[in-house]
Amino acid sequence: MKDASPRTIYLKDYQAPDFAIDTTQLYFDLYEDYSEVTARLVISRSAENVVPQLVLDGQDLKLLSISINDCELAKDAYEIGEETLTLNFDKVIVEGFSQQNFILETKVRIEPQNNTSLEGLYKSRTMFCTQCEAEGFRKITYYLDRPDALSEFTTRIYADKSRYPVLLSNGNPVASGDLDGGRHWAEWHDPFKKPCYLFALVAGDLVAVDDEFKTQSGRDVLLRIFVEEKDRDKCDHAMRSLKNAMRWDEDVYGREYDLDIFMIVAVDDFNMGAMENKGLNIFNTSCVLANEKTTTDAGFQRVEGVVAHEYFHNWSGNRVTCRDWFQLSLKEGFTVFRDEEFSADMGSATVKRVEDVSLLRTNQFAEDASPMAHPVQPSSFIEISNFYTLTIYEKGAEVVRMIRTLLGPALFRKGSDLYFDRHDGCAVTIEDFIAAMADVSGRDFSHFMLWYQQAGTPKLKVTGDYNQTEKTYTLKVQQSCPATPESATKKPFLIPLDAALIGEQGRIAPSKVLEVSKEQETFVFHDVAERPVPSLLRGFSAPVNLDFAYSLDDLTRLMARDDDGFCRWDASQKMAIQVINNVIVSLANDPAPTVDKRYLDAFGEVLNQAITSLKNNDQTLDLAMIALMLQLPSEEYIAQQHSVVDVDSIHHARARVKRKLATTWYEEILAGYEYLNVPEIFAVDAASIARRTLKNTLLSYLVTSGREQAIDICALQLATATNMTDEIAALTALTHSASRYAVDQKGAALASFYSKWSDEALVVNQWFAVQATAPLPTTLNQVEELMKHPAFDANNPNKLRALVAGFCMRNPIAFHERKGKGYRFLADQIIQLNARNPQIAARLLTPLTRWRNYDEQRQGLMREQLKRISVTPKLSKDVFEVVTKSL
Ligand code: B3K
Ligand code: ZN
């Protein structure tokens, strides 16, 4: 349990450490009911003239011995606090001792087998593993647990040989050997200095899948993915992704791998996706294992993206690291930007952009509008674990993307080269990154820095005016930004607004990046031959809310004629939102409102275009884009457009529009489905994924029609699917359907799916998630029942994410049930998790922090649960911070 009286940490208080740990030698003695860690640290003073003390971090450690220069210390020479070990040099009586340079050795006892926080050294099933970022190393040994303390690590691990034949740590293997009593040992040395958050250790019974990579300078690197024997057949995709990422980073950023070995280990119990420990990445199984039978296309893409992300950290994060945790986005924003671009290059770039923007607009914009809003470079925090957010990651990536837009790709690359060269081996700040970009371009970034310092999503209100006689088109742009916790008033941002004009037949002028820097600005386009529709924020050139009063006719034109794929898709979404919003308004006094025909027609046009191209076997049409344009915006995204979220109306209006589309175009949807539902050799390339995405989008519409024929088709797909994408799509459509005919079949379908896949934990998680996200009144009961299922494990974050987060974060209509049962359920879970796994507990709180978005009754019910959580005894820092900031 962490500190009982949480303290706020401020960026402005940053001070460089007084000491450096030049080398770190670690000895781990691993046993079943305890483990011992000996740390031998060569320490030198790096600052003069300060108090004769050294304060090390440490938490939940039992100190067994402590010595300086190999002399045991007297009791009064050190002091053990709740989270610290303080050495009082004045009391150190050791011959020849100097504060300038000495060796500190400590030995501590810890209990990894009882560590359910999954931070520090812990056990995942039968294996020992670690997670140290951000501040988990202090649960392993006394240390300077801060990212600006870089040290050279040597690690020796002792363990039982039969249970733990594989012993791993960072860097290169040095030596190993056998011991009496069935034990053995291995030693690793990492030649690159690193902060302790990048330390890793693994001990387990694992098999390795091996490959190799030749770097651009001709060095051979051994690549090893360690998994349990049963998962040996699920490593190929991660390995291929890793090699692609290594090649890509050489080609696009000139970055080469630096050790002789690169390892990935898959573990079941992990708080997030994966961790970039130097040379020894530790992965959540969900982000590394993949094969067609058990993994959906989204799963394959996630593996590719996360493998690349962690690999890219070797430079953006490890070789050049963060000075302090306020700089987290320095490594995360930049690395997300890098992995997004990598995935775009590996598959369909437009689809990738649409997916990334969807995530950002749906979830990061919501965070920015919530009590947890914070700048990309926060100025304070209580618990850093709470700041691994969409703002740090996804908005951080958008900010880097804007820099590239402003500089152009060539200068951006020069800037990144300079950044890596200038700061290699150092712990630096976001300002250092920007300085490199400024130095190569001569551009002044002082105004741009507001993107790092001000939270909140700017709003761009744009109007357009065509002057027929002058042949000019004038855009008036006005920017504003809502207040956020750290500042009520905002200075105007520097916003790159990529814009073009679309005529009846297509783009009528080259696109250009307008730099909006003031509250109000006007831009004039000349020689505009016809009245255009503006294509704005092309490629989503800035993370802002765009407000332009497009008519349905304007949007139809953009959908058909815009040459920017993102804007084409966005037009389809804007159109759907207008239509759904109209239905919401009409629903108040008409139980069966009509759906605007222009939208039905536009949908039919996109659909027919796809059918024609399928019929003619025309490969030029991007079927993935078609699928995305046919999908309605999520309830969560629609909710964003409302100042008071009416969960029920949004759900019913959206469902109504979907049903109307499904019945209006039933025959066409069926025809499209049949063209696509043919036996194919499974592949995970962009074209194959596109075909499956479109097919399953169409299946979802078919089932929405409620027709028995459609449900039979769905059941047949479920029974005969040869890959998990098709199988889970059919299971989802069937399980989420409210039609009687489907309801009668779903029990058997779910039972047979479970018995088929009960040995595959990751598939069982999907089975949990499908049930938790069913938008039905019975779902909460179902979720409560499933929590008693033998396959559920409340200590496993993946299971919690599937069931609890699935229900509370991805099922608005069921979670926000009027009486507040969903809120109470969530609070119960958080109160229990608070003690066991504070990080996950705090993360699960997110939906309750958004209480201000709802009607008064729901607000009251949500706050009641927040208050209940806030008075829980021994509240962790993690939960404390989120609850108090949101109440
Ligand atoms: N850097 C890690 C995240 C660590 C989270 C610690 N609570 C994974 C990543 O972003 O690559
Ligand atoms: Zn990362």
Side-chain angles (χ1 to χ4, degrees), residues 17-77:
D18 294 341
F19 292 87
I21 304 178
D22 304 313
T23 63
T24 300
Q25 270 175 287
L26 298 170
Y27 302 85
F28 286 84
D29 231 333
L30 306 177
Y31 294 99
E32 295 316 295
D33 38 12
Y34 67 92
S35 293
E36 284 175 0
V37 184
T38 302
R40 194 172 167 83
L41 313 177
V42 175
I43 298 179
S44 55
R45 211 184 238 295
S46 47
E48 292 306 325
N49 236 348
V50 270
V51 269
Q53 269 192 344
L54 165 59
V55 183
L56 297 175
D57 304 292
Q59 207 182 310
D60 304 336
L61 307 173
K62 184 170 190 288
L63 185 68
L64 300 178
S65 67
I66 176 165
S67 68
I68 279 186
N69 299 346
D70 293 319
C71 294
E72 191 75 16
L73 286 189
K75 283 267 180 284
D76 63 346

Side-chain angles (χ1 to χ4, degrees), residues 139-321:
K139 292 177 145 193
I140 293 177
T141 192
Y142 287 108
Y143 206 76
L144 285 178
D145 190 359
R146 43 188 293 167
D148 57 355
L150 278 65
S151 184
E152 189 181 322
F153 281 70
T154 305
T155 305
R156 190 184 277 229
I157 310 161
Y158 301 87
D160 182 85
K161 190 170 181 175
S162 62
R163 284 178 200 253
Y164 311 104
V166 174
L167 304 175
L168 310 172
S169 190
N170 316 85
N172 300 310
V174 177
S176 59
D178 286 335
L179 298 164
D180 291 342
R183 291 176 71 76
H184 72 148
W185 63 275
E187 184 168 306
W188 292 79
H189 172 246
D190 182 357
F192 292 94
K193 280 196 163 198
K194 64 167 176 290
C196 62
Y197 84 85
L198 291 171
F199 170 81
L201 172 153
V202 169
D205 187 359
L206 303 164
V207 295
V209 172
D210 290 354
D211 207 328
E212 57 193 26
F213 181 85
K214 196 179 265 311
T215 68
Q216 61 186 9
S217 72
R219 281 188 312 101
D220 289 312
V221 181
L222 170 61
L223 310 177
R224 315 197 76 179
I225 300 181
F226 289 92
V227 293
E228 287 183 39
E229 172 66 48
K230 67 179 173 56
D231 294 322
R232 197 195 274 277
D233 60 341
K234 301 190 193 81
C235 299
D236 292 355
H237 182 66
M239 189 62 93
R240 202 169 32 244
S241 303
L242 174 61
K243 289 192 287 183
N244 287 339
M246 294 176 86
R247 187 62 70 213
W248 189 91
D249 213 15
E250 292 182 345
D251 292 346
V252 181
Y253 281 87
R255 299 291 120 198
E256 192 174 320
Y257 187 63
D258 47 15
L259 286 162
D260 299 331
I261 177 168
F262 183 83
M263 296 173 283
I264 287 178
V265 180
V267 306
D268 262 310
D269 302 283
F270 208 63
N271 278 349
M272 62 282 162
M275 177 63 212
E276 70 264 24
N277 316 301
K278 182 78 186 188
L280 177 56
N281 286 189
I282 298 184
F283 270 62
N284 187 322
T285 43
S286 71
C287 293
V288 59
L289 305 179
N291 75 24
E292 65 188 85
K293 297 280 176 262
T294 56
T295 313
T296 61
D297 291 338
F300 274 99
Q301 286 169 326
R302 177 145 174 82
V303 168
E304 180 181 74
V306 179
V307 166
H309 178 98
E310 305 311 332
Y311 174 74
F312 296 154
H313 268 315
N314 190 54
W315 276 95
S316 48
N318 301 3
R319 289 287 288 257
V320 181
T321 195

Side-chain angles (χ1 to χ4, degrees), residues 276 309-310 313 331-332 335-336 393:
E276 70 264 24
H309 178 98
E310 305 311 332
H313 268 315
K331 74 178 177 80
E332 296 305 347
T335 305
V336 171
Y393 278 68

Side-chain angles (χ1 to χ4, degrees), residues 466-473 525-530:
Y466 181 56
N467 183 325
Q468 188 125 28
T469 21
E470 305 277 319
K471 300 279 177 243
T472 56
Y473 185 75
F525 293 78
H526 296 277
D527 304 319
V528 182
E530 56 175 303

